[in-house]
Amino acid sequence: MKTDLRLIYLILILTIAFSGCKKQNSEGDKSTSEIIKNDYAEGFSITKTKDGYLLRLFDVNNSNPLNEIFLTEKKSEENTNYQQLEIPLKKTIIGSSTFIGFLNTLNKIEVIQGFPGKQLVYNQKLLDRIENGKVTDLGNQISWNVEKVAEMNPDAMILNLFGAEDPSIENIRKLGIPVIFVQDYQETHPLGKAEWIKVFGLLTGKYDHSVAIFEDIKNNYLCLKEKIGNVENKPGVTSGMIYEDAWFAPGGDSYMATLISDAGGDYIWSDKEGTGGLPLAKEIVLTRANQADYWIGAAAFDNYAKLKEHDKLFESIKAVENKNVYTYIGKIRENGGNDYFETGPVNPDILLKDIVLILHPEMIQDHELTYYKALK
């Protein structure tokens, strides 16, 4: 009887022990999967696992992901629930000037295999590579040349998605080429757009470096914003341009509205809800324009004569009368490439410095306008 009790006791101990081991393994599996929280960006999520990273990319207006891609250094038969892509990418076709800026900041310009439109490029290294035949200029096109893409056989294509998907995209997928939609342009906070450098860091094998870069950008931006937060005088600022019969101004919830506010400006369209360009009637612009001491982002005009020639309405605007109009052509090339659209999004701290220098020059030292330029 005594032996039987010992046997039962031993079985209980083993049961508890194995039970404990099983629970520990379960928790251990969970601990190998970690969602990396973003600071500002809303359009992507990264989950780190023991074998790689699960990258989810979103349209910010839809909770269903546009892409779910498992990024790994070596494909495996595990993780078959998701499309797999080996990283780092060695050759890719990109579809946006902004992506040049992200890759240049990571010193990975050489992974660009193709780009649609040499006339849009500012980066000299990329221009040289196009000139030397190392990068294919795919031309400014609405629909992709599937045969050309097949011939190039990139590791992946990285594109923006505007509205409905182009039919050529599905044909490219059938070739086995992953198409990655990067919706960085939908971010409404300047630091949210800059945070996309983490996605490019992940794709190019420089994730830790991209995190360090973003932290520097974020700290620079927030330090200057805090410093400017104490200014009492906040000059009125307008932005945008007239096209045909309407003035298109960034909405009150937009990227530009945030930059102006953080730089100590009073954006005169802040009460207009929206994140994109809002078409405003000319009459409204005339009524409210006198509240604006500055006009920042007056398209690509470089002098007042051309600006007034575009529309006589501008002659009566206070910022024009006082010659306080600035455009984003501080760094352009003869071919048309504009660095505002390449490295501007990944350098919101410098964009903020530019606007602070315009609105509150007494608050900033040792800085010259980089992306913006005063009209002559």
Side-chain angles (χ1 to χ4, degrees):
M1 183 65 181
K2 192 173 181 179
T3 302
D4 290 344
L5 284 174
R6 284 180 179 174
L7 180 60
I8 293 170
Y9 181 71
L10 179 60
I11 291 172
L12 282 172
I13 292 294
L14 290 173
T15 302
I16 293 169
F18 279 114
S19 170
C21 285
K22 187 175 182 180
K23 184 178 180 183
Q24 189 174 20
N25 283 342
S26 176
E27 289 178 349
D29 288 340
K30 288 179 181 176
S31 69
T32 60
S33 178
E34 174 195 359
I35 297 175
I36 303 174
K37 187 176 180 298
N38 294 340
D39 289 342
Y40 291 90
E42 298 179 0
F44 72 86
S45 72
I46 298 171
T47 301
K48 184 177 181 181
T49 75
K50 63 179 181 180
D51 299 320
Y53 297 87
L54 176 60
L55 175 64
R56 289 189 172 96
L57 302 168
F58 299 89
D59 179 317
V60 298
N61 300 312
N62 192 330
S63 59
N64 296 322
L66 292 167
N67 292 108
E68 291 182 295
I69 306 175
F70 189 74
L71 306 175
T72 179
E73 292 182 357
K74 188 175 182 180
K75 291 182 180 179
S76 73
E77 294 184 358
E78 297 181 15
N79 301 306
T80 53
N81 291 334
Y82 305 102
Q83 179 183 27
Q84 294 187 46
L85 177 61
E86 285 190 5
I87 53 172
L89 299 182
K90 294 181 175 60
K91 52 180 183 176
T92 181
I93 294 173
I94 62 170
S96 167
S97 300
T98 307
F99 305 164
I100 300 172
F102 286 124
L103 292 169
N104 181 64
T105 303
L106 293 165
N107 198 25
K108 296 296 288 186
I109 282 292
E110 71 275 9
V111 304
I112 301 174
Q113 185 188 20
F115 182 77
K118 177 182 175 181
Q119 74 281 2
L120 301 173
V121 176
Y122 178 84
N123 185 283
Q124 187 59 57
K125 185 175 180 180
L126 182 57
L127 285 170
D128 291 343
R129 290 176 67 82
I130 293 172
E131 195 66 30
N132 295 333
K134 295 180 179 177
V135 175
T136 301
D137 181 357
L138 292 163
N140 191 10
Q141 52 194 331
I142 297 174
S143 186
W144 293 94
N145 184 330
V146 178
E147 289 184 3
K148 187 65 180 177
V149 172
E151 181 183 318
M152 295 170 68
N153 192 27
D155 295 335
M157 290 182 70
I158 308 175
L159 311 174
N160 288 137
L161 178 64
F162 300 100
E165 188 176 293
D166 182 86
S168 62
I169 296 297
E170 187 55 32
N171 291 328
I172 290 170
R173 285 198 191 96
K174 289 177 181 174
L175 296 172
I177 299 171
V179 178
I180 302 172
F181 288 124
V182 167
Q183 303 298 84
D184 62 307
Y185 70 91
Q186 294 184 321
E187 301 290 344
T188 57
H189 196 289
L191 288 173
K193 190 172 289 191
E195 196 168 7
W196 280 82
I197 194 172
K198 294 178 181 177
V199 172
F200 286 85
L202 204 55
L203 292 169
T204 57
K206 301 189 76 170
Y207 179 70
D208 290 343
H209 185 45
S210 70
V211 172
I213 290 173
F214 177 71
E215 286 299 311
D216 279 346
I217 293 167
K218 183 180 72 174
N219 291 334
N220 292 339
Y221 187 100
L222 294 179
C223 284
L224 183 54
K225 177 187 173 184
E226 183 179 3
K227 180 180 177 182
I228 299 303
N230 296 323
V231 298
E232 295 182 358
N233 173 36
K234 296 190 175 183
V237 181
T238 188
S239 188
M241 178 51 63
I242 285 180
Y243 296 101
E244 297 183 349
D245 294 327
W247 179 300
F248 286 84
D253 307 310
S254 67
Y255 173 94
M256 192 63 196
T258 302
L259 265 177
I260 291 170
S261 175
D262 289 348
D266 180 12
Y267 185 49
I268 68 169
W269 309 111
S270 60
D271 61 326
K272 302 291 184 185
E273 293 183 2
T275 58
L278 302 176
L280 303 170
K282 286 186 178 182
E283 293 74 19
I284 295 177
V285 176
L286 275 174
T287 303
R288 201 179 286 193
N290 281 336
Q291 299 174 22
D293 303 289
Y294 293 86
W295 179 0
I296 299 176
F301 292 100
D302 61 358
N303 64 66
Y304 286 97
K306 291 180 180 176
L307 184 73
K308 294 175 182 177
E309 187 179 317
H310 182 70
D311 198 307
K312 293 290 182 185
L313 164 72
F314 298 152
E315 294 179 358
S316 60
I317 292 179
K318 181 179 173 183
V320 177
E321 293 176 352
N322 295 335
K323 296 193 180 304
N324 284 328
V325 181
Y326 294 81
T327 61
Y328 40 72
I329 57 170
K331 295 175 73 178
I332 58 171
R333 294 197 187 280
E334 289 185 0
N335 67 327
N338 186 337
D339 203 29
Y340 177 85
F341 299 110
E342 283 189 15
T343 64
V346 76
N347 291 317
D349 51 339
I350 299 176
L351 288 171
L352 188 67
K353 281 184 177 181
D354 273 8
I355 300 178
V356 169
L357 184 62
I358 292 169
L359 303 181
H360 303 285
E362 74 284 359
M363 298 292 291
I364 191 166
Q365 289 85 39
D366 302 325
H367 181 70
E368 295 181 355
L369 288 180
T370 302
Y371 294 107
Y372 288 99
K373 182 178 181 180
L375 263 67
K376 295 178 182 176

